[in-house]
Amino acid sequence: MSPSPGLTVLCFGDSNTHGTVPMSGPDDLARYSRNGRWPGVMAAELGPEWHVIEEGHPGRTTVHDDPVDGAHKNGISMLPALLESHRPLDLVLIMLGTNDLKARFSVPPSDIGISLERLARMVQASNAGPSGQPPGLILVAPTPIEETGWLAGMFAGGAAKSRTLGAAIANSAARVGAGYVNAGAHASVDPLDGIHLTSDGHRALGIALAAAVAEWSA
């Protein structure tokens, strides 16, 4: 039976879910306004009956302990607690993979897709949905990156990988039976740092994801 409107959605992601403003250096910690970040835009589009939970952590990876920034950046370590603390959840959106493109991890897009599958199966094996059932799931492929600005060295080689990451995540979504949205079809990164979305990108992505959520709930 299809769910009805008025549901709870968890947005699990990294700095582009957190709403980090494009950075000129490591001390830039600015964040777009609540209504300017894509989860806020999505919430406004869906309407007041919907509860959208922002869970964006800058630097979050899919399954990797970060040897530089810390083990707490590992998404697969954090997800179980979040599923429990926010349940019941009707739907989970996962937009991760950008930080896996850092040179320090040396993983191909196919491995990032498999890592997203691990996260997806964790959601699908959980009792975090209504009546102890698993929540619905949409995987969102992150926007392709550019190797520009102060983050260029950290993401060396990542730009080329990011251009095939969407296809890898689409394949993963199909294998686990999850929904799929390609953020790169709606948003672009700011050339200041090549990683973080423009304000227009946040708005466009929020509108696109609201449409995907509404279609899921129909």
Side-chain angles (χ1 to χ4, degrees), residues 21-32:
V21 173
M23 304 167 70
S24 60
D27 296 326
D28 287 352
L29 301 177
R31 190 180 187 187
Y32 289 115

Side-chain angles (χ1 to χ4, degrees), residues 50-141:
W50 291 73
H51 179 41
V52 175
I53 301 170
E54 271 185 354
E55 189 30 75
H57 184 190
R60 178 175 280 152
T61 69
T62 55
V63 300
H64 305 288
D65 290 350
D66 193 313
V68 176
D69 292 333
H72 64 296
K73 301 292 187 179
N74 188 334
I76 204 166
S77 297
M78 305 303 290
L79 183 57
L82 295 172
L83 292 172
E84 291 183 10
S85 64
H86 292 299
R87 68 185 177 204
L89 295 164
D90 296 282
L91 179 64
V92 177
L93 302 184
I94 300 178
M95 187 169 79
L96 286 173
T98 296
N99 289 299
D100 295 47
L101 296 168
K102 290 176 178 176
R104 67 184 67 149
F105 296 116
S106 300
V107 292
S110 57
D111 280 4
I112 299 174
I114 292 169
S115 298
L116 264 295
E117 282 188 49
R118 290 186 62 194
L119 292 170
R121 294 189 190 282
M122 180 176 285
V123 172
Q124 293 172 330
S126 76
N127 62 356
S131 302
Q133 299 299 306
L137 179 65
I138 297 175
L139 298 183
V140 184

Side-chain angles (χ1 to χ4, degrees), residues 9-10 15 21 27 32 42 44 49 60 69-70 86 103 106 112 146 162 175 188 195 200:
V9 183
L10 174 66
S15 57
V21 173
D27 296 326
Y32 289 115
M42 185 178 79
E49 293 184 354
R60 178 175 280 152
D69 292 333
H86 292 299
S106 300
I112 299 174
E146 301 291 343
S162 73
R175 281 194 291 268
S188 58
I195 300 298
D200 287 345

